[in-house]
Amino acid sequence: MNYFVHSHTVIHFTSTQTTHTAQTAQTAPPLPTLPTTTHHHLRHPHHPFRSFFNFHLKWVEIKRDINFSDFKSGKQLLARNPKISVLTSKGKLVDTLRAYDRSRSRTSTSLSSSYPSSLKMDDFFFKTFKLNDSKDRKAFVAAAKADPKQIWINKPVGRNQGKGITLVTDSELFLKELQEEDKKASVRKSGMERIIQSYLPNPLLLNGRKADIRCYMFIANNTPSLVMYHDGYIRLSLSDYSDDYSNLGSHLTNQYVQKKNEDYASLMDESTWSMNQLDVYLQSDEGINAVNESARPKLQDPTYKMEEGGQQTWVASFLVPRMKEIMIHCYKAARVFLEKDVGYFDVLGFDFIIDDMLNVWLIEINVNPALHIRTQACKSVIPTMISSVLDIMLFLFDQFLEKKKLTSVPKHLGDFQILQNDISQNKKPQRTKNKREEKETSTKEK
């Protein structure tokens, strides 16, 4: 998906990812009046996107379509922080979370937030090793030997949509392959970076199928911070879950993988659920029985907050708050690395999975989450979310142009919920009058 706001017009470029979001662009509000900018010389004249240096808002799918050196802080909006890979690269995310754990062990100081957390990486992230890092590689070998029955999932760092993922069911054979690679060190150094993670043995199944959750974190500004959460949808496999690890279709829920199912066209809407559908399912007998018996009392935990209508649900009272807690933890871990220029923003896709004990695990973070609306669940979320993103960013942009600083957030955030808001604390405090001034004011009033 590619958006440019150029000459006060939203232009939508279709891509391999989505061809259905033009309606979102049409609903975007008019841009504030901006000063005329000058076109730069084209550094890549044969590339169709690199010629658009004179833009007001740019939202593209591929990083190479962005020339960060031409970005004008405070004068342009760009949907990609140059350093966002500290969260969205599989390998860098591991480094970021580990570094945050170390820093928090040295100090109790943390960012203020509506979601104070004592989380540690191991509380929500699977045991992970970077196979291109010699120290991690040795640690993985030790872990695999210690638990030879553990299933592992092997992921290339630079790919998405489930491409290149394999499941390692024979640790002994895999370790022999690593030994062969070690004999050819030059091959390992030049090869594709990979991470390997422990594979969840007990996922919560929905109608007998594996599922995960895609929801969104919107970083509207980094300094001062404005970070928000948005509900997403459930992604399900179209195949029943099984111990046949050669059938990736029953183990990976990505739409790219599910589209290979011969019945995908007729079953497309069954590959995604709304959050409400998950809620209803977990209140049904079938949903309750899908949960491990020892964890079923959690579904009716009396400590959960009551919904507005008087109903308490595990999804609203535990799942969503837990995902928010993990999201803000990840943001805090990355904040110091992100660029602080006004105008950068990101809509990140967070993927979570639930086990049958109702624990919530982060799978990965996507810099370029799919924005297609092929299914009803996607249609109910994505167009209005993108429209809200544009509304919020244009509000902040207009405010910065007028005041040269950000002092408030929009009253209407659509369905976004604030995770971190330091903008409201960015206002210049009013000076308190001293006693002499108060006495003079009182005398004048009399």
Side-chain angles (χ1 to χ4, degrees):
M1 186 223 28
N2 299 285
Y3 282 118
F4 289 84
V5 176
H6 183 263
S7 301
H8 294 216
T9 303
V10 176
I11 303 173
H12 174 224
F13 294 89
T14 61
S15 72
T16 55
Q17 185 183 109
T18 178
T19 58
H20 301 282
T21 49
Q23 58 184 308
T24 304
Q26 293 169 3
T27 62
L31 278 169
T33 303
L34 298 174
T36 303
T37 54
T38 305
H39 281 286
H40 290 244
H41 293 294
L42 304 184
R43 300 180 184 179
H44 300 273
H46 301 298
H47 198 290
F49 297 117
R50 290 185 185 265
S51 61
F52 288 89
F53 291 128
N54 185 24
F55 64 86
H56 294 149
L57 182 152
K58 189 173 185 178
W59 192 337
V60 297
E61 181 175 357
I62 303 172
K63 186 177 179 179
R64 68 170 178 265
D65 295 334
I66 302 171
N67 192 324
F68 290 105
S69 64
D70 285 294
F71 174 72
K72 302 174 182 66
S73 177
K75 297 181 179 180
Q76 293 176 319
L77 294 173
L78 180 58
R80 183 73 62 89
N81 191 295
K83 302 295 178 60
I84 198 64
S85 62
V86 297
L87 283 177
T88 59
S89 162
K90 295 179 180 70
K92 290 181 181 178
L93 175 60
V94 174
D95 293 336
T96 301
L97 293 176
R98 286 176 179 173
Y100 191 52
D101 270 7
R102 290 193 299 269
S103 69
R104 294 178 76 216
S105 68
R106 294 192 295 266
T107 175
S108 60
T109 304
S110 63
L111 294 174
S112 60
S113 170
S114 302
Y115 301 89
S117 174
S118 58
L119 281 179
K120 293 183 179 179
M121 181 178 178
D122 291 342
D123 295 334
F124 63 89
F125 201 67
F126 298 115
K127 186 182 297 182
T128 306
F129 304 94
K130 299 185 297 174
L131 291 180
N132 289 67
D133 179 274
S134 58
K135 184 178 179 181
D136 261 26
R137 196 180 183 91
K138 290 178 182 177
F140 166 69
V141 170
K145 287 181 178 179
D147 188 3
K149 293 183 179 181
Q150 171 68 52
I151 308 299
W152 301 89
I153 184 165
N154 185 25
K155 302 178 181 180
V157 167
R159 306 186 73 179
N160 57 12
Q161 299 181 321
K163 297 174 183 176
I165 289 179
T166 59
L167 293 176
V168 177
T169 58
D170 188 335
S171 295
E172 185 177 352
L173 178 60
F174 188 73
L175 291 178
K176 288 180 180 178
E177 293 174 358
L178 290 184
Q179 287 177 348
E180 290 299 316
E181 285 186 14
D182 286 336
K183 293 176 182 178
K184 304 174 183 178
S186 59
V187 174
R188 176 155 56 91
K189 290 179 181 178
S190 61
M192 180 180 291
E193 289 187 39
R194 294 173 294 165
I195 64 167
I196 193 160
Q197 294 179 300
S198 57
Y199 188 63
L200 183 65
N202 59 325
L204 177 67
L205 302 181
L206 309 184
N207 290 334
R209 296 179 289 158
K210 190 174 180 182
D212 61 28
I213 304 169
R214 163 64 58 82
C215 53
Y216 304 93
M217 183 171 80
F218 173 28
I219 305 176
N221 202 68
N222 186 37
T223 304
S225 298
L226 180 58
V227 185
M228 288 170 268
Y229 163 88
H230 198 288
D231 270 346
Y233 55 94
I234 317 302
R235 307 185 304 179
L236 298 92
S237 167
L238 292 175
S239 305
D240 288 343
Y241 184 76
S242 75
D243 293 336
D244 179 7
Y245 294 105
S246 64
N247 177 17
L248 287 180
S250 69
H251 291 271
L252 303 181
T253 64
N254 311 64
Q255 284 285 301
Y256 176 83
V257 174
Q258 296 308 311
K259 283 167 68 176
K260 296 177 182 179
N261 187 302
E262 59 183 13
D263 298 320
Y264 177 78
S266 60
L267 299 176
M268 187 188 309
D269 273 323
E270 294 185 26
S271 67
T272 58
W273 282 7
S274 67
M275 294 289 285
N276 184 62
Q277 283 177 282
L278 174 64
D279 206 345
V280 171
Y281 177 77
L282 288 176
Q283 296 177 64
S284 70
D285 290 341
E286 186 176 359
I288 292 171
N289 290 334
V291 176
N292 187 291
E293 187 174 1
S294 64
R296 290 173 194 169
K298 294 180 183 179
L299 293 174
Q300 298 297 329
D301 191 325
T303 62
Y304 291 156
K305 299 175 183 177
M306 298 295 286
E307 288 269 87
E308 187 174 341
Q311 182 182 16
Q312 55 185 174
T313 67
W314 179 82
V315 170
S317 299
F318 179 82
L319 174 61
V320 171
R322 182 64 167 182
M323 292 191 299
K324 290 178 178 179
E325 184 182 19
I326 294 170
M327 282 181 165
I328 198 63
H329 181 95
C330 291
Y331 172 70
K332 289 178 181 181
R335 183 186 186 188
V336 294
F337 302 109
L338 299 178
E339 294 289 354
K340 299 175 175 58
D341 296 277
V342 173
Y344 289 133
F345 68 98
D346 284 278
V347 178
L348 305 178
F350 275 65
D351 294 342
F352 293 96
I353 190 167
I354 309 167
D355 65 29
D356 66 2
M357 295 296 294
L358 299 181
N359 299 307
V360 182
W361 300 91
L362 174 65
I363 301 173
E364 63 184 19
I365 306 172
N366 300 271
V367 69
N368 212 22
L371 299 178
H372 63 73
I373 50 175
R374 299 187 191 98
T375 68
Q376 288 301 318
C378 294
K379 288 177 184 176
S380 68
V381 172
I382 292 172
T384 54
M385 179 184 72
I386 297 303
S387 181
S388 294
V389 167
L390 295 175
D391 286 343
I392 293 166
M393 290 311 304
L394 292 172
F395 174 92
L396 296 175
F397 193 36
D398 197 28
Q399 181 182 105
F400 188 83
L401 287 174
E402 180 182 350
K403 301 182 179 180
K404 302 305 178 186
K405 65 183 298 185
L406 299 177
T407 59
S408 64
V409 301
K411 291 182 180 179
H412 302 290
L413 300 174
D415 291 324
F416 278 105
Q417 301 170 36
I418 290 177
L419 296 175
Q420 180 95 22
N421 176 16
D422 294 337
I423 288 179
S424 297
Q425 302 171 21
N426 198 37
K427 296 179 181 179
K428 185 177 180 181
Q430 293 185 342
R431 186 172 66 86
T432 304
K433 293 180 180 180
N434 57 37
K435 291 183 179 180
R436 179 180 175 183
E437 289 172 325
E438 287 178 348
K439 186 177 181 180
E440 291 176 351
T441 302
S442 176
T443 301
K444 288 179 181 179
E445 289 176 351
K446 290 179 181 179

